[in-house]
Amino acid sequence: MTEVVKRRNRRARGKSTPQIAKSIRQLPRENLITPFPPLSPLSEEQVEHIHDSSMQLLEEQGVEVLGEMALEVFRKAGAKVDSGGVVKMDRDMVMEAIAKAPKDFTVTPRNPKRAIHIGGDSINFGLVSGPPNVHDCLNGRRSGNFEDYQKVIKLAQYFNIIHFIGTQGVATTDLPPNTRHLDTTLINLTHTDKPSFTIGIGGGRIRDALEMTAIALGISLEELKDRPSLLTNINVNSPRKLDDSMAYAAMQMSMMGQPVIVTPFTLMGAMTPATIAGALVQQNAETLLGLSLLQLTVPGSPVVYGAFTTNVDMRSGSPAFGTPENSLANMASGQLARHYQLPYRSSACNASNVNDCQATWETQMALWSSVMGHANIIFHSAGWLEGGLLTSLEKIVTDCEMLQHMSRLFCRVTINDSEIGLEAMDQVGPGGHFFGSEHTLERYKDAFYEPYLSDWQNSENWQSSGSKDATMRATEIWQQILQEFEPPSIDPGIQEELEAFVIKRKEQLGRDEPLLEPMGV
């Protein structure tokens, strides 16, 4: 631990928590629509070249698929399946399958006011997903646990700018692996009323999450098929391998009418060729095969084109994020998703070990390119550190500030005579100021975006206030949010039914612990 971090931790412990959470200047919750055209780093000819190469890869080399259930779907559709489980699809079969997927859809949680639209120009920011560790400046770095999981979910519920809860805000390593999904799903459904993801590994976990979601909504499993309310994300194990447990989980979700994101985990130089062109072709082929599987299983089921392409540090092999290559891939992947008329998922990641300048610029690069690539679902928008190995409470707070800044850019500028204020200019005259003008007084309360985390005091006042940097201020904010947190209301009968379901399923599953779950991206 660096001296800077140690000093920051000591200061955080030594300061009393101010009453600030209620005064946080949050923007109201809204469904964000970007008014900007997408940035397109590729020409139409380049997109077609990537498409053709992807089809050639699927036709000639294929993708290894584990699991007899998925292989049987491909066989019945007419795909070539060899003795090793490698699936080869011709381009007509692929294009016919994905053409059946909806261009957009809506996910409605137990609070319909929190519904999110996925597709078109909609932008939705999500909480960090998957890290096995957690950190805050009071308690330091530690393995993920159930208590911290609840803290992370409460922060996600509190911030309006977080639209959905990812797969797992931090791993609950202190709970039995075979039943921890029950505990986390219960927290997701009772401590939040936002859309959430379930772990896309195996049919059992999926079935439990589906049943609990139906209970929370007060409907039957059959009725849930007509109401997308729960999401999952599966990863293709690049290069060109689809795991049986993820394939089966995704198929179960599609059979229940729930959205699935198919996201290859593609690292340029390690899991793909060390070029953007090669990575995009491989990513595209892997994504399309996964999406084809789901459309062949249930034509018209809601799916999302997922992309997680970045490069590695060629000196160490470690993943790098927020790089120029990662940013270009984020925008180019959006072009590919639009080429197939599919909703698009991206990520806002970084590789920093602490919540510092590196974490900020890398996150901002990945976030900006995801937004300008028109990603409808942006994973890991708040709280991600260490290349996905760490969830940071302070970074959730600082990222949500950055997300609010970003969302304010989506507001359309009003241009009319009243806003221009020629009369005010005449009244003030040359060399005057507008502080006391009627035009300013009518607007000053809401004229500009007011951040909740930035400190705009002069140096003297800042020093007299404790010389707190942004991370120290974020430490104070998350503490107060958790002190004041009140979960969204839920019918007591539904709460009891959910808790009873968890107890019953834990008794059925027993204490036999299977292998630990892999981390999803």
Side-chain angles (χ1 to χ4, degrees):
M1 185 181 295
T2 67
E3 284 302 314
V4 172
V5 174
K6 288 180 180 178
R7 249 189 342 264
R8 179 182 293 152
N9 291 356
R10 287 196 295 269
R11 279 178 168 175
R13 291 189 184 97
K15 298 289 183 180
S16 60
T17 303
Q19 300 296 312
I20 54 180
K22 289 182 178 178
S23 64
I24 289 179
R25 292 177 286 271
Q26 285 205 74
L27 296 178
R29 193 270 177 196
E30 61 179 320
N31 293 320
L32 299 177
I33 305 293
T34 175
F36 306 114
L39 289 181
S40 301
L42 305 178
S43 67
E44 291 185 11
E45 291 77 13
Q46 289 174 319
V47 170
E48 284 295 337
H49 197 160
I50 289 172
H51 167 74
D52 288 338
S53 298
S54 302
M55 295 300 106
Q56 184 178 350
L57 182 60
L58 288 174
E59 290 172 336
E60 298 177 3
Q61 298 183 38
V63 174
E64 182 182 359
V65 177
L66 304 179
E68 187 56 35
M69 183 177 176
L71 291 174
E72 186 59 24
V73 169
F74 283 120
R75 289 192 191 99
K76 286 183 176 180
K80 298 177 182 178
V81 180
D82 68 15
S83 59
V86 174
V87 176
K88 298 177 182 178
M89 303 177 66
D90 66 60
R91 63 191 64 205
D92 291 338
M93 181 186 299
V94 173
M95 296 305 292
E96 182 180 349
I98 63 172
K100 297 174 182 176
K103 298 178 182 178
D104 63 339
F105 53 88
T106 298
V107 178
T108 306
R110 66 182 180 89
N111 180 358
K113 294 181 180 179
R114 300 280 197 179
I116 60 174
H117 177 257
I118 299 177
D121 295 329
S122 296
I123 305 286
N124 297 283
F125 299 122
L127 182 68
V128 58
S129 299
N133 305 297
V134 65
H135 176 274
D136 65 70
C137 290
L138 296 180
N139 304 295
R141 190 181 190 275
R142 55 205 179 272
S143 296
N145 57 76
F146 189 50
E147 180 182 357
D148 284 318
Y149 183 88
Q150 294 176 71
K151 292 178 181 178
V152 168
I153 296 302
K154 289 175 181 178
L155 293 176
Q157 171 67 16
Y158 176 85
F159 283 107
N160 295 330
I161 197 63
I162 298 296
H163 298 97
F164 65 90
I165 311 299
T167 304
Q168 52 178 359
V170 64
T172 52
T173 59
D174 57 335
L175 299 179
N178 65 325
T179 60
R180 64 179 59 160
H181 67 284
L182 298 167
D183 298 294
T184 56
T185 302
L186 180 62
I187 293 300
N188 290 352
L189 292 172
T190 58
H191 284 50
T192 80
D193 56 1
K194 299 181 179 183
S196 64
F197 280 69
T198 188
I199 297 173
I201 303 173
R205 292 183 182 90
I206 292 295
R207 181 75 180 188
D208 288 338
L210 288 167
E211 289 199 42
M212 293 179 71
T213 300
I215 292 171
L217 296 174
I219 61 178
S220 67
L221 275 175
E222 192 64 28
E223 291 172 318
L224 185 64
K225 291 182 179 180
D226 298 321
R227 177 174 170 167
S229 301
L230 179 70
L231 305 98
T232 197
N233 177 86
I234 67 165
N235 300 129
V236 178
N237 296 324
S238 302
R240 295 185 295 120
K241 193 167 188 174
L242 179 57
D243 180 79
D244 57 344
S245 61
M246 285 197 169
Y248 184 61
M251 295 168 73
Q252 292 294 307
M253 285 284 283
S254 289
M255 286 187 279
M256 289 301 297
Q258 305 304 301
V260 178
I261 303 175
V262 177
T263 309
F265 183 28
T266 43
L267 298 177
M268 288 180 269
M271 297 171 178
T272 77
T275 60
I276 293 178
L280 289 175
V281 167
Q282 184 181 306
Q283 169 198 282
N284 196 48
E286 293 172 348
T287 303
L288 294 179
L289 179 127
L291 296 177
S292 295
L293 169 63
L294 300 179
Q295 294 307 309
L296 292 172
T297 302
V298 182
S301 59
V303 294
V304 177
Y305 183 108
F308 195 84
T309 292
T310 188
N311 57 291
V312 297
D313 178 355
M314 297 304 292
R315 293 170 297 181
S316 67
S318 298
F321 299 99
T323 63
E325 293 79 14
N326 176 216
S327 299
L328 285 169
N330 287 346
M331 292 184 286
S333 296
Q335 286 184 262
L336 292 170
R338 291 190 295 277
H339 179 76
Y340 303 112
Q341 301 184 57
L342 294 168
Y344 170 44
R345 170 250 156 133
S346 187
S347 301
C349 302
N350 70 91
S352 181
N353 291 296
V354 293
N355 188 32
D356 60 1
C357 291
Q358 177 188 337
T360 303
W361 79 61
E362 290 180 354
T363 300
Q364 182 68 272
M365 283 283 286
L367 174 64
W368 182 258
S369 57
S370 294
V371 168
M372 297 313 294
H374 280 210
N376 308 117
I377 288 282
I378 303 181
F379 257 54
H380 314 304
S381 296
W384 167 294
L385 280 178
E386 286 186 28
L389 295 178
L390 186 72
T391 293
S392 162
L393 301 192
E394 280 81 18
K395 195 163 191 298
I396 291 175
V397 176
T398 56
D399 282 342
C400 284
E401 177 71 274
M402 188 155 53
L403 295 175
Q404 286 201 159
H405 278 257
M406 183 69 72
S407 69
R408 190 61 184 260
L409 288 177
F410 300 158
C411 297
R412 293 188 178 275
V413 177
T414 301
I415 304 294
N416 57 38
D417 290 345
S418 176
E419 290 293 294
I420 291 170
L422 288 177
E423 291 184 4
M425 297 178 198
D426 183 50
Q427 291 170 4
V428 170
H433 67 76
F434 288 82
F435 284 117
S437 73
E438 183 178 347
H439 191 272
T440 298
L441 293 175
E442 291 173 350
R443 293 165 172 78
Y444 77 95
K445 289 184 178 180
D446 303 308
F448 312 118
Y449 172 73
E450 290 189 67
Y452 62 77
L453 188 58
S454 296
D455 189 326
W456 290 344
Q457 301 179 91
N458 61 33
S459 180
E460 292 77 10
N461 290 335
W462 174 73
Q463 291 181 51
S464 66
S465 299
S467 304
K468 300 171 186 174
D469 63 17
T471 298
M472 293 173 65
R473 297 193 295 274
T475 302
E476 296 175 341
I477 288 175
W478 70 253
Q479 289 180 85
Q480 191 61 33
I481 290 174
L482 295 182
Q483 286 180 11
E484 298 176 0
F485 181 82
E486 295 182 5
S489 61
I490 186 171
D491 182 274
I494 288 178
Q495 176 89 28
E496 291 177 7
E497 189 174 355
L498 285 169
E499 292 172 354
F501 179 89
V502 170
I503 292 172
K504 180 181 179 181
R505 284 295 290 142
K506 284 185 176 181
E507 291 174 350
Q508 293 172 342
L509 291 170
R511 303 291 295 185
D512 295 331
E513 299 185 4
L515 293 175
L516 291 175
E517 304 145 355
M519 183 181 74
V521 298

